[in-house]
Amino acid sequence: MTTNGTWQFHVGMDVVCIDGKQASHSSMPSELIQDEVYKIRWVGMYERYADGEYLGVRLEGIDRGICPTWGDNDPPFRATRFRPLVRDQLGSLRSLLAGNGPAPSIEDPKRPVKVKEEEKV
């Protein structure tokens, strides 16, 4: 079973753009700036005829309008173009070492650690 990665992003989260290039197959301008910080206003699975299904994010301050080629209203960016902004790098490292996933912020909720109970003889 594969996961779609929706757990990694949420509305209101600050993210850093790691890929601001214009997509070769897109007629919409990228509008993204590499290493710029953005805030997510929508996150979810999105499907387009040409791209298939992908995890997408819409960002505050960017309304992409209507796609002239496909007619989509405000198509989202692929989430793979972003990484969560980690303000507390030490807390992030502690969480990663504890097995709580890739680079969550110290403010994010932690998963409970399962403890194996000893059997009584």
Side-chain angles (χ1 to χ4, degrees):
M1 181 176 141
T2 60
T3 59
N4 59 20
T6 55
W7 58 269
Q8 194 172 13
F9 297 101
H10 60 81
V11 173
M13 172 184 262
D14 289 331
V15 291
V16 176
C17 177
I18 59 169
D19 180 11
K21 295 179 286 199
Q22 174 68 30
S24 60
H25 64 282
S26 176
S27 60
M28 300 283 295
S30 172
E31 304 176 51
L32 296 175
I33 301 170
Q34 183 100 10
D35 299 324
E36 188 76 19
V37 176
Y38 297 94
K39 186 176 290 274
I40 295 177
R41 65 177 165 93
W42 178 89
V43 62
M45 297 307 293
Y46 194 78
E47 188 169 358
R48 289 185 49 177
Y49 173 77
D51 299 328
E53 187 176 49
Y54 63 92
L55 178 64
V57 295
R58 290 184 178 121
L59 308 170
E60 288 186 8
I62 298 178
D63 183 346
R64 302 183 78 195
I66 305 289
C67 175
T69 305
W70 303 104
D72 296 335
N73 185 15
D74 193 19
F77 295 102
R78 285 186 177 273
T80 56
R81 300 178 81 171
F82 303 93
R83 292 289 178 258
L85 178 66
V86 178
R87 296 187 190 281
D88 182 356
Q89 293 180 351
L90 185 57
S92 174
L93 180 59
R94 286 185 189 131
S95 184
L96 186 62
L97 291 173
N100 290 338
S105 171
I106 194 75
E107 295 89 22
D108 290 345
K110 304 292 185 244
R111 289 187 268 170
V113 178
K114 292 183 179 180
V115 179
K116 184 177 179 180
E117 295 183 21
E118 294 182 26
E119 293 183 24
K120 295 182 180 179
V121 179

